[in-house]
């Protein structure tokens, strides 16, 4: 009975009600997005860090090196000599070292040259097919396979650089031999091959430019049957050249993901590498903590904004209830005359506020998850990082629900007390 009466009273002034609900919805939506993004962001970035104590790469920004090598969301700082890197990869402290070489993409998705240890690092399982064994064989991440509709046996040509609009390599075709199951990690958005594939793709083009400029350019040497030879080479690339191997001298890679047996390496390596080589050893945990601190400032600002909007919504509810109470004093007095208790009037006013808060909370959580869908699409295209809008973080969202109800309770407290202490005779006399 009290709930039904409260619901009807809520819509006594619909504009005031809608304003209060909109303010609550906005604040709850912002806080919901922050709760989900903060948790999933940390989980995804931490899960990708597993098994990586140090990133060995070219000198430059250590944060850029970590982002490009661990999370694949930035351009690398440069290349390093594989021969030099091998010396440190065999260091007694090293438990596992995974070399990485990239520089190409396919429709915006990075083609990364590495070893099968990279698949093991992410505990990737195959949905179909097998791991790469020969040059130009690739394993495709689950997200890439889904979005590009790639299947086992499909062939494609890489594009130079990290932009999808770059120059397409006419030499060499990659063939899909495996597709991984979803892991929720960065590997889902990558195309993996062995490192000699990356070397061979670029080494061939460098030799072609150096030996014989393109047709029509100065210095181009025409050979007998050139047109026929071009067509034949295009279709029989791998038959007429020797596949490169990991033993090639003087080659370069992008970086190395290093895991230590002894954690002393975390403290010693950065200084040793800086003093003895032209490389750097970046500590991913330290760099990501710095990044989280920078993100934290922005997240806190949004959190304070949302709490401010929630407080404004509480004031709006208070004003609406207080003004409504003035207009409904006679009605409440008649209810008392007809047998209603003081506590019932108190609860009616309190229920009105609680109903507004409950409606605002559920609209806010829905709108927040809708906003997270849009945010996830944007982050997937820019950072290859998606969010799950359907996840429910029970503890934090329960606290948010309690906070919303508390704001409603405080907003309704004074009007409810005034309804409880209503003077019947004076009110009816004035009416």
């Amino acid at each position: 009975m009290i709930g039904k009466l409260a619901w009807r009273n809520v819509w006594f002034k619909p504009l005031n009600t809608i304003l209060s609900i909109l303010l609550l919805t906005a604040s709850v939506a912002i806080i919901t997005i922050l709760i989900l993004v903060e948790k999933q962001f940390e989980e995804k970035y931490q899960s990708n860090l597993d098994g990586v104590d140090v990133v060995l790469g070219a000198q430059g920004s250590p944060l850029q090196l970590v982002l490009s090598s661990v999370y694949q969301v930035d351009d690398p700082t440069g290349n390093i000599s594989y021969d030099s890197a091998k010396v440190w990869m065999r260091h007694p402290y090293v438990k596992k070292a995974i070399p990485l070489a990239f520089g190409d993409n396919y429709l915006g998705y990075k083609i990364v040259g590495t070893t099968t240890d990279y698949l093991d690092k992410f505990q990737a399982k195959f949905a179909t097919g097998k791991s790469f064994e020969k040059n130009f064989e690739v394993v495709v991440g689950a997200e890439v396979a889904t979005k590009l509709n790639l299947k086992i046996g499909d062939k494609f040509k890489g594009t130079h650089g990290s932009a999808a609009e770059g120059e397409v390599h006419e030499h060499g075709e990659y063939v899909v031999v495996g597709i991984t199951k979803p892991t929720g990690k960065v590997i889902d958005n990558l195309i993996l091959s062995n490192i000699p594939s990356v070397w061979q793709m670029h080494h061939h083009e460098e030799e072609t430019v150096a030996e014989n400029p393109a047709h029509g350019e100065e210095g181009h040497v025409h050979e007998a049957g050139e047109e026929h030879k071009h067509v034949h080479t295009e279709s029989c690339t791998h038959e007429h050249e020797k596949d490169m191997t990991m033993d090639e001298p003087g080659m370069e890679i992008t970086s190395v993901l290093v895991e230590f047996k002894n954690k002393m390496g975390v403290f010693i390596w950065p200084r040793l590498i800086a003093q003895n080589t032209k490389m750097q050893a970046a500590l991913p945990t330290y760099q990501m903590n710095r990044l989280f601190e920078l993100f934290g400032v922005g997240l806190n600002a949004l959190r304070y904004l949302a709490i401010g909007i929630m407080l404004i919504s509480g004031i709006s509810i208070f004003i609406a209830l207080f003004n409504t109470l003035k207009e409904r004093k006679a009605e409440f007095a008649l209810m008392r005359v007809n047998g209603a208790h003081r506590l019932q009037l108190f609860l009616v006013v309190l229920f009105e506020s609680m109903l507004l808060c409950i409606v605002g909370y559920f609209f806010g959580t829905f709108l927040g998850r809708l906003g997270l869908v849009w945010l996830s699409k944007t982050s997937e295209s820019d950072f290859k990082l998606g969010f799950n809008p359907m996840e429910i973080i029970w503890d934090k969202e329960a606290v948010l629900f309690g906070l919303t109800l508390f704001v409603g309770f405080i907003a309704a407290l004074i009007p409810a007390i005034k309804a409880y202490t209503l003077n019947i005779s004076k009110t009816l006399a004035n009416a």
Side-chain angles (χ1 to χ4, degrees):
M1 178 64 184
I2 292 176
K4 187 176 180 181
L5 182 61
W7 179 252
R8 287 183 176 179
N9 289 340
V10 160
W11 294 104
F12 179 70
K13 286 195 171 181
L15 290 178
N16 288 341
T17 298
I18 291 170
L19 176 62
S20 300
I21 290 175
L22 283 176
L23 288 169
L24 271 172
T25 297
S27 62
V28 171
I30 294 172
I31 296 175
T32 299
I33 290 175
L34 290 177
I35 288 172
L36 292 173
V37 166
E38 196 169 20
K39 178 178 180 290
Q40 294 184 27
F41 184 82
E42 285 195 29
E43 282 181 352
K44 286 178 181 293
Y45 271 71
Q46 188 56 49
S47 65
N48 287 307
L49 272 181
D50 292 341
V52 183
D53 295 320
V54 159
V55 181
L56 188 64
Q59 291 179 346
S61 165
L63 178 58
Q64 183 181 352
L65 177 60
V66 171
L67 289 175
S68 63
S69 298
V70 180
Y71 302 107
Q72 309 292 335
V73 294
D74 201 352
D75 292 326
T77 53
N79 288 332
I80 58 176
S81 165
Y82 183 53
D83 293 331
S84 299
K86 277 193 292 187
V87 175
W88 294 93
M89 290 165 66
R90 294 166 182 162
H91 193 278
Y93 280 171
V94 174
K95 178 181 178 181
K96 184 180 289 185
I98 306 173
L100 302 176
F102 34 82
D104 290 341
N105 77 90
Y106 176 58
L107 299 180
Y109 291 93
K110 277 189 177 181
I111 301 172
V112 178
T114 184
T115 65
T116 54
D117 287 338
Y118 194 71
L119 291 163
D120 297 335
K121 168 186 157 19
F122 292 103
Q123 299 176 339
K125 306 295 181 185
F126 285 96
T128 181
K130 61 183 181 65
S131 181
F132 49 81
E133 295 174 355
K134 301 175 183 178
N135 289 8
F136 295 99
E137 290 183 343
V138 294
V139 172
V140 178
E143 286 292 324
V144 181
T146 300
K147 290 177 180 175
L148 302 185
N149 196 28
L150 291 174
K151 302 178 292 296
I152 299 296
D154 284 353
K155 297 181 179 180
F156 61 87
K157 292 181 178 180
T159 301
H160 186 66
S162 57
E165 300 81 15
E167 180 185 353
V168 176
H169 291 294
E170 295 301 328
H171 164 73
E173 259 187 340
Y174 293 102
V175 57
V176 178
V177 297
I179 296 173
T180 61
K181 293 180 180 179
T183 64
K185 301 177 184 178
V186 68
I187 196 173
D188 292 344
N189 290 285
L190 297 178
I191 300 171
L192 306 177
S193 71
N194 62 11
I195 290 177
S197 297
V198 178
W199 289 344
Q200 192 165 327
M201 180 68 71
H202 296 89
H203 186 67
H204 174 88
E205 294 199 347
E206 288 171 5
E207 285 186 340
T208 301
V209 172
E211 291 174 5
N212 192 11
H215 182 79
E217 294 184 1
E218 184 180 353
H220 175 74
V221 178
H222 289 272
E223 299 179 8
E226 187 175 63
E227 289 78 4
H228 173 72
K229 180 180 177 181
H230 175 74
V231 175
H232 182 69
T233 304
E234 191 71 28
S235 60
C236 306
T237 300
H238 302 297
E239 295 179 10
H240 292 277
E241 67 178 28
K242 181 182 177 182
D243 280 346
M244 300 181 78
T245 67
M246 292 294 288
D247 298 323
E248 300 291 334
M251 303 307 291
E252 293 183 334
I253 58 172
T254 305
S255 58
V256 183
L257 307 180
V258 179
E259 181 182 7
F260 292 121
K261 300 174 188 174
N262 187 334
K263 296 304 178 183
M264 282 297 294
V266 173
F267 304 101
I268 296 173
W269 263 45
R271 179 173 52 83
L272 285 178
I273 296 295
Q275 290 177 350
N276 297 284
T277 72
K278 294 182 179 180
M279 300 181 287
Q280 68 167 324
L283 303 177
T285 303
Y286 173 73
Q287 295 301 327
M288 294 314 297
N289 285 339
R290 284 183 57 211
L291 187 63
F292 286 141
E293 286 178 8
L294 295 173
F295 272 128
V297 174
L299 291 175
N300 285 335
L302 285 174
R303 192 176 288 112
Y304 295 145
L305 173 65
I307 291 172
I309 295 173
M310 185 174 285
L311 290 176
I312 293 171
S313 70
I315 294 170
S316 171
I317 292 171
F318 165 75
I319 293 172
L321 291 175
F322 195 83
N323 289 337
T324 303
L325 182 64
K326 282 192 201 177
E327 299 172 7
R328 290 165 50 207
K329 276 186 177 180
E331 178 189 332
F332 278 9
L334 288 173
M335 288 173 63
R336 287 290 314 281
V337 169
N338 285 287
H341 298 293
R342 291 176 182 271
L343 183 60
Q344 287 177 314
L345 296 184
F346 181 89
L347 291 176
V348 165
V349 177
L350 200 61
F351 267 55
E352 290 177 23
S353 181
M354 293 296 104
L355 283 171
L356 286 173
C357 290
I358 290 170
V359 171
Y361 175 81
F362 283 104
F363 273 127
T365 54
F366 174 77
L367 184 64
R369 282 170 165 78
L370 202 62
L372 192 61
V373 171
W374 173 81
L375 182 63
S376 181
K377 289 181 179 177
T378 304
S379 64
E380 279 184 357
S381 62
D382 293 340
F383 306 111
K384 305 297 183 289
L385 177 69
F387 299 101
N388 176 19
M390 302 311 296
E391 182 179 5
I392 299 176
I393 304 172
W394 293 103
D395 53 346
K396 291 187 177 180
E397 294 196 58
V399 170
L400 176 58
F401 183 61
L403 178 63
T404 308
L405 292 182
F406 178 73
V407 168
F409 175 79
I410 295 298
L413 194 58
I414 293 176
I417 290 173
K418 290 186 74 67
Y420 182 85
T421 57
L422 186 70
N423 188 315
I424 301 174
S425 56
K426 186 178 179 180
T427 300
L428 290 176
N430 290 335

